[in-house]
């Protein structure tokens, strides 16, 4: 294997471990430990970490080496706002112009999601990754009927960055609020179940298939607000407003 191939392999291994939550936000990424864990030599690991820094998945500091990029409410809010803008615009275009192939692909992605258990209470990395593939795959198919390749490219980058935040909310609440010691409150667990609920995704698919732009836009907005409510709950912020509480009650009925 050529050096570039070794670097590419190291990059994919580390990226996967960051996005699936194996390495928590803020966790140190020591080359010696990574080399032992993954059986990859130091040089390609350092090159891979530099590439991941360019992708804003890791951060480097003088004399401290690399760490997984931290998460924050502000960054999550920024990412979710970008994701919502892109997804709504692409979905609007798909509703207006996409054909039967888009509908069939969306139904297939929804079917896969319905048969993928949500990862709450599941510690296995494989369970996390199955959910990521099914959930993000559904949202990618939802907007695939949009005609702008640039917007779809930006949307894919946004989803990738959001994976790190979503895995922190699910599995590393201590990286967000050290007082949680890795445990979720019952309120947070209820919000997590709502954020991952199959039923909400079913409504979103149906609105898209019905070509109901207004309902689809509203459902996407609710989807984002529920995620932000989870973060507020983890950090103990007051901020689950009346609209979000009403949405929670309606979805749990």
């Amino acid at each position: 294997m050529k050096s570039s191939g070794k670097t590419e392999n190291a990059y994919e291994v580390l990226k996967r471990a960051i996005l699936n939550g194996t390495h928590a936000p803020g966790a140190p990424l020591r080359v010696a430990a990574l080399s032992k864990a993954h059986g990859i030599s130091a040089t390609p690991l350092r090159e891979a970490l530099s590439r991941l820094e360019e992708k804003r998945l890791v951060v480097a500091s003088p004399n401290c080496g690399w760490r997984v990029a931290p998460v924050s409410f502000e960054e999550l809010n920024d990412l979710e706002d970008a994701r919502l803008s892109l997804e709504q615009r692409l979905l609007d275009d798909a509703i207006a112009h996409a054909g039967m192939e888009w509908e069939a692909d969306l139904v297939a992605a929804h079917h896969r999601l319905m048969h993928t258990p949500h990862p709450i209470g599941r510690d296995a990395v494989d369970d996390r990754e199955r959910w990521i593939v099914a959930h993000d795959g559904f949202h990618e198919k939802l907007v695939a009927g949009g005609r702008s390749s640039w917007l779809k490219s930006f949307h894919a980058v946004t989803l990738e960055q959001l994976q790190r935040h979503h895995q922190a909310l699910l599995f590393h609440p201590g990286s967000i609020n050290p007082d949680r010691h890795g445990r979720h409150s019952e309120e947070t667990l209820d919000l997590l179940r709502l954020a991952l609920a199959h039923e909400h995704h079913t409504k979103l698919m149906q609105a898209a298939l019905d070509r109901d732009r207004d309902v689809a836009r509203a459902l996407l907005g609710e989807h984002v607000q529920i995620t932000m409510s989870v973060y507020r709950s983890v950090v103990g912020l007051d901020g689950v407003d009346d609209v979000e509480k009403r949405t929670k009650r309606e979805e749990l009925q």
Side-chain angles (χ1 to χ4, degrees):
M1 182 182 289
K2 295 180 179 179
S3 178
S4 60
K6 291 180 180 179
T7 299
E8 185 64 28
N9 178 59
Y11 173 80
E12 292 299 331
V13 167
L14 293 181
K15 178 181 173 182
R16 177 179 177 184
I18 291 170
L19 295 181
N20 68 24
T22 297
H23 297 306
L29 296 168
R30 298 184 178 92
V31 172
L34 293 172
S35 180
K36 182 177 180 179
H38 298 296
I40 302 172
S41 59
T43 298
L45 281 172
R46 292 191 181 96
E47 292 172 353
L49 287 165
S50 294
R51 284 182 59 188
L52 290 165
E53 184 182 4
E54 293 173 2
K55 297 291 185 180
R56 301 174 69 175
L57 292 175
V58 307
V59 294
S61 55
N63 304 317
C64 294
W66 286 280
R67 291 181 177 272
V68 179
V71 296
S72 68
F73 181 86
E74 291 75 19
E75 185 179 21
L76 177 61
N77 189 56
D78 189 19
L79 284 166
E80 289 287 11
D81 184 56
R83 176 259 186 100
L84 181 60
S85 297
L86 293 164
E87 208 157 312
Q88 284 182 331
R89 182 167 173 180
L90 284 164
L91 184 53
D92 284 352
D93 194 54
I95 286 173
H97 299 287
M100 291 287 291
E101 184 176 353
W102 168 68
E103 293 184 0
D105 288 345
L106 179 57
V107 170
H110 175 264
H111 179 78
R112 181 177 189 177
L113 182 61
M114 293 304 100
H115 289 81
T116 304
H118 66 61
I120 299 173
R122 298 172 179 268
D123 294 327
V125 172
D126 286 349
D127 290 333
R128 302 183 194 181
E129 292 190 333
R130 274 192 290 271
W131 175 262
I132 289 170
V133 170
H135 178 266
D136 286 10
F138 171 80
H139 282 274
E140 287 168 358
K141 293 301 182 185
L142 186 68
V143 303
R147 295 170 295 175
S148 172
S149 59
W150 277 107
L151 290 180
K152 282 187 278 191
S153 176
F154 298 146
H155 180 253
V157 171
T158 303
L159 285 184
E160 184 176 272
Q161 287 290 340
L162 281 169
Q163 283 180 24
R164 193 166 51 81
H165 287 73
H166 292 165
Q167 296 309 299
L169 289 173
L170 282 164
F171 301 108
H172 302 294
S175 68
I176 299 170
N177 181 356
D179 293 337
R180 283 296 171 91
H181 304 294
R183 297 189 299 272
H184 287 302
S185 68
E186 285 303 315
E187 178 192 22
T188 301
L189 287 172
D190 283 344
L191 287 167
L192 280 169
R193 294 185 188 102
L194 177 57
L196 303 183
H198 289 133
E199 294 80 4
H200 190 86
H201 293 88
T202 299
K203 290 180 179 178
L204 187 51
M205 177 195 69
Q206 196 58 57
L209 296 177
D210 290 343
R211 310 288 173 146
D212 194 328
R213 174 181 175 274
D214 292 339
V215 170
R217 276 180 155 265
L219 288 168
L220 283 174
E222 289 175 11
H223 207 54
V224 167
Q225 288 305 315
I226 293 167
T227 301
M228 299 310 299
S229 293
V230 175
Y231 200 107
R232 292 186 186 104
S233 178
V234 171
V235 297
L237 290 174
D238 294 327
V240 183
D241 61 26
D242 291 339
V243 172
E244 291 167 336
K245 290 179 179 178
R246 183 172 65 253
T247 299
K248 175 184 171 183
R249 288 195 300 270
E250 291 172 351
E251 290 288 337
L252 292 176
Q253 286 177 352

